[in-house]
Amino acid sequence: MTFSDNLVSLRANRHMTQEQLAMLVGVSRQAISKWESGKAYPEMDKLLIICDLFTVSLDDLVLGDVTQPAPPAVRPTSQDTVLMHDGHDGYNGPVSMAASLPSQPVMPNVAQDMTGYDSHMRQFAAKISLGVGAIILGVGLAQFFDPANSVLGSSPANDALLFIVLAIGVLIGLALLIPAGLSHDQFMKRHPYIEDFYTEQDHNHAANLLAIGVISGIAAIFMGVVVMVFADEALHVDDGWPAAIMLILIGIGVTSIVYAGIMYARINVDAYNNHAEEDEQGQHGHNTDQDSLTGAVCGIIMLIATCFGLLWLFGIISPNDSSMFWICWPIGGILCGIASLVINIVKRQ
């Protein structure tokens, strides 16, 4: 068989389209079409990529027949022996050849992680979850210095410490979230198509991790609410340390849920490919008016929420109680979700 015949056979065996193979190799679909029709021939670096992708040797790809499995190497059985000499014409006795030859496992032609997708998604999940958790934890730790019930008592340093701790948490969160988002965006641009290499065992492991993460996260959030309610009902304290403990536990719970959710979503390779394709179309001017409108509305909502949160924090809106300023952002997120849902329904109708 020729190279073109072998390439067609390998691609068909993996149920891969020309577009998908082109994205994996890093060429255009037209180049794949020319290779398969025999009108052009790939360069050596592309040939090596194809060999790695389909787990075949260069000789088999170019000169062999990939539809016919290579015959297994003839290996001596345990009955086959050879005579071993010690180099001085001395006879050391029979030795089994089967025991002296190393095994040569044959690599199956299965999908592999050629792009480092799994490693990238694990890092992405860790950075996003820790970034979100850092912001919430920063808000929670800042509540220990709430002037209404500070751990330092009545001290002029409370306001400054509250702002410093809050700012540190936000900065750490942004230092994780922003690079993670940019890195993921660049990864999707470089690899708009990922071949699904996850096994059934991987899917089961991700499902178990999701269950553990969600249950643990909900339990942590519930414990935070219990602490807050207990402090309010039994101790008649609702500011300062009760709010701090509640927010810290909420931060831990949200981190657990976000991490488990991203780790579970990573095995849905089809969704990644569809999202990457939509982003690619959007970059070429094919994004819909619905996407533009949704982005604009959510941006305005979160900008307003940020303004209200800052005004509340510095006592302009509520001079006597600024401990609940953080609630502006969750409310903004909920309003964004509602706005997206309404825009989607209206557009469909």
Side-chain angles (χ1 to χ4, degrees), residues 131-317:
V132 173
I135 294 175
I136 300 177
L137 288 175
V139 176
L141 292 174
Q143 299 309 303
F144 282 118
F145 306 103
D146 185 351
N149 192 22
S150 172
V151 294
L152 300 178
S154 179
S155 171
N158 282 325
D159 289 333
L161 289 174
L162 186 149
F163 177 78
I164 291 173
V165 173
L166 174 64
I168 291 175
V170 172
L171 290 175
I172 293 176
L174 294 178
L176 291 169
L177 291 172
I178 295 176
L182 294 175
S183 174
H184 187 61
D185 183 63
Q186 291 298 320
F187 184 89
M188 294 181 70
K189 290 178 181 178
R190 293 195 305 268
H191 308 290
Y193 172 75
I194 301 294
E195 191 177 10
D196 192 352
F197 57 89
Y198 288 111
T199 63
E200 188 67 25
Q201 183 179 3
D202 294 329
H203 284 263
N204 294 335
H205 182 270
N208 293 335
L209 178 62
L210 177 65
I212 295 173
V214 171
I215 293 173
S216 302
I218 293 176
I221 294 173
F222 179 75
M223 289 175 59
V225 175
V226 169
V227 170
M228 188 69 180
V229 172
F230 173 79
D232 187 22
E233 296 293 334
L235 305 177
H236 305 290
V237 177
D238 56 1
D239 294 325
W241 66 264
I245 294 177
M246 181 189 69
L247 287 171
I248 290 173
L249 290 172
I250 289 176
I252 295 173
V254 170
T255 300
S256 175
I257 294 173
V258 171
Y259 178 77
I262 297 177
M263 288 293 288
Y264 181 76
R266 90 186 195 282
I267 65 175
N268 190 355
V269 179
D270 289 338
Y272 169 89
N273 291 334
N274 293 335
H275 190 267
E277 183 179 355
E278 291 173 0
D279 285 351
E280 188 74 14
Q281 292 176 353
Q283 293 172 7
H284 290 83
H286 302 299
N287 56 319
T288 63
D289 294 337
Q290 176 181 336
D291 296 334
S292 300
L293 180 60
T294 302
V297 171
C298 287
I300 294 174
I301 290 175
M302 294 309 298
L303 180 61
I304 295 175
T306 301
C307 292
F308 270 97
L310 294 176
L311 293 174
W312 196 343
L313 171 63
F314 292 106
I316 298 176
I317 293 179

Side-chain angles (χ1 to χ4, degrees), residues 81-85 90-96:
T81 58
V82 295
L83 301 181
M84 300 297 294
H85 294 267
Y91 172 60
N92 289 337
V95 176
S96 170

